[in-house]
Amino acid sequence: MDTMDLAQQQVAENLAHHLAVAISRPQRSSAFFCEDCEGVIPEARRRAVMGVVTCVSCQATREAYAR
């Protein structure tokens, strides 16, 4: 095995590990009301994003501040 093979193997192992962690993480149910503004979270968003706790605009604000 050369250096490139070892690097690819490590990337594959890391990916497999992170996927296993994500799959085994318990999912909480989605909220009906936004944690931040207390507005209603639309049903389509609750179905699309498992465990969602914020509306779209509040989530965008959270992500903007996280940068």
Side-chain angles (χ1 to χ4, degrees), residues 38-52:
E38 299 181 5
V40 175
I41 299 174
E43 182 179 354
R45 178 164 171 76
R46 291 193 320 263
R47 287 180 185 234
V49 183
M50 196 67 160
V52 69

Side-chain angles (χ1 to χ4, degrees), residues 6-45:
L6 291 173
Q8 288 178 333
Q9 181 181 357
Q10 185 175 11
V11 167
E13 289 172 0
N14 285 339
L15 176 61
H17 170 74
H18 289 290
L19 286 173
V21 168
I23 290 170
S24 66
R25 186 177 303 138
Q27 296 288 330
R28 66 184 200 183
S29 60
S30 296
F32 285 88
F33 299 97
C34 178
E35 283 184 351
D36 296 345
C37 71
E38 299 181 5
V40 175
I41 299 174
E43 182 179 354
R45 178 164 171 76

